[in-house]
Amino acid sequence: MGEAPHRAWPPEEPPRRPGAPRRTHPYGAPVPKAGPAAPPDQGPPQRAPAAPPDQGPPQRAPAIPPDLGRPEPGRVWPPRHGGWSPARPGHARSPGPDRDEDDLPPSARRYGAPAAPSGLRIPRRLRRLALGLLALAACAAATAGAVVAVLRISSPSPVPGRVADPAAGVGYPLPAGWRTGPVPPVTGFTSVAGDGRTVTVLVRPGGRVADARRATVTLADLYGRLLLHGDEVKVIDDRAVTVGGRAGHSRSLRAEYRDVVNRPAYLRVVFLTGSAGRPPVVVLAVAGPDDLRARAGIDAVLAGLR
């Protein structure tokens, strides 16, 4: 006699005692009773709800990167003891030495702790105002420079000044670039002028003398020893002159030096006799080094002496 076929599904229900509650299906579905059953009263027919519009495939929630992890239960970010300062994107930094990496939020462990913005940014309105002020200042400076240049070009050349010496009773002009000095460097002189570099002219009143040439030679020797101190002193000019309607005498000396530092020096003494109640006048001119420009300035002063 052959074996009955093996039953795999559904499993057989074990026998049940009379009056015992009926067991449910092993997988949760109730086993229907045998025999026909009257259908329950379902009331009026219900209308089937409209199917919702097709919204496409269901969206999956973004996955959390495994290395970020999730905050521990009961843990609040940021930590209360330190807090995190706002930072700009892309300016992350590592935790400081006083902070543990475990105190950082998950994003900070990946990208670094946020850093506070450095430097003070000037508002755009203030920047525009500053640029405008700089532009106005540049325009004002350029305008002022142009005005000064035009005035210098259009203004006439200044008239050379003139020195008045009431003690000596004379006056004389100042060549271009010359100016008067406050105190004469040699005692007895009452006025001084020069260019401040190479040439100086001094004027003082003189005494009454019988021979103007002898007085001139004496004064030239005295001032030559006092001012020149040359290794060799030569007389390069000795002649009678007339200056401003007054007769007189002029003597010029040239001093040379053997060293290589000092250059030749020039000294000139002019003695003018008195006339019409005016006292005699002594003019002393010194130039060092001796050159044609210095001599030309001395001659211009003597020519305008009145």
Side-chain angles (χ1 to χ4, degrees):
M1 185 174 178
E3 297 180 358
H6 177 72
R7 187 175 181 179
W9 186 264
E12 295 181 358
E13 182 180 2
R16 180 172 57 88
R17 294 194 307 270
R22 187 178 180 83
R23 293 184 177 181
T24 60
H25 193 271
Y27 296 95
V31 179
K33 295 183 178 181
D41 188 8
Q42 298 180 355
Q46 298 291 332
R47 193 174 180 181
D54 187 10
Q55 298 181 357
Q59 300 294 332
R60 297 182 61 186
I64 300 178
D67 52 352
L68 292 182
R70 297 179 180 273
E72 298 176 7
R75 195 169 189 178
V76 181
W77 299 100
R80 296 180 181 177
H81 58 79
W84 307 101
S85 58
R88 293 170 293 178
H91 291 74
R93 59 178 175 85
S94 59
D98 56 344
R99 290 181 178 175
D100 190 4
E101 189 174 355
D102 295 338
D103 294 337
L104 301 178
S107 59
R109 286 200 296 269
R110 179 179 180 87
Y111 300 104
S118 60
L120 180 62
R121 299 188 62 184
I122 302 176
R124 182 176 298 178
R125 292 183 178 179
L126 293 181
R127 291 200 302 268
R128 292 180 178 177
L129 180 60
L131 292 177
L133 293 177
L134 289 177
L136 290 177
C139 294
T143 304
V147 170
V148 171
V150 171
L151 291 178
R152 287 183 177 179
I153 294 175
S154 59
S155 60
S157 58
V159 179
R162 188 172 181 86
V163 179
D165 191 343
V170 296
Y172 50 92
L174 286 176
W178 284 38
R179 60 180 180 273
T180 59
V183 179
V186 180
T187 303
F189 288 89
T190 54
S191 63
V192 59
D195 62 357
R197 297 184 306 274
T198 59
V199 59
T200 303
V201 174
L202 302 95
V203 178
R204 70 173 178 85
R208 300 286 181 176
V209 296
D211 190 349
R213 181 181 182 279
R214 179 176 296 182
T216 303
V217 171
T218 302
L219 292 175
D221 293 341
L222 174 63
Y223 293 132
R225 291 192 304 268
L226 179 65
L227 301 176
L228 296 181
H229 303 286
D231 296 320
E232 184 178 359
V233 179
K234 298 180 180 179
V235 179
I236 59 175
D237 182 61
D238 187 88
R239 57 188 174 88
V241 293
T242 301
V243 176
R246 290 193 289 185
H249 198 87
S250 173
R251 187 176 179 91
S252 301
L253 307 178
R254 178 183 171 89
E256 298 181 356
Y257 306 89
R258 296 189 180 94
D259 55 62
V260 296
V261 178
N262 293 310
R263 298 174 60 185
Y266 175 79
L267 184 145
R268 183 175 180 181
V269 176
V270 177
F271 187 91
L272 300 177
T273 59
S275 62
R278 293 185 297 179
V281 177
V282 177
V283 179
L284 172 63
V286 182
D290 180 21
D291 56 23
L292 296 178
R293 184 175 182 178
R295 293 191 186 187
I298 296 172
D299 293 340
V301 171
L302 292 174
L305 187 66
R306 296 291 184 272

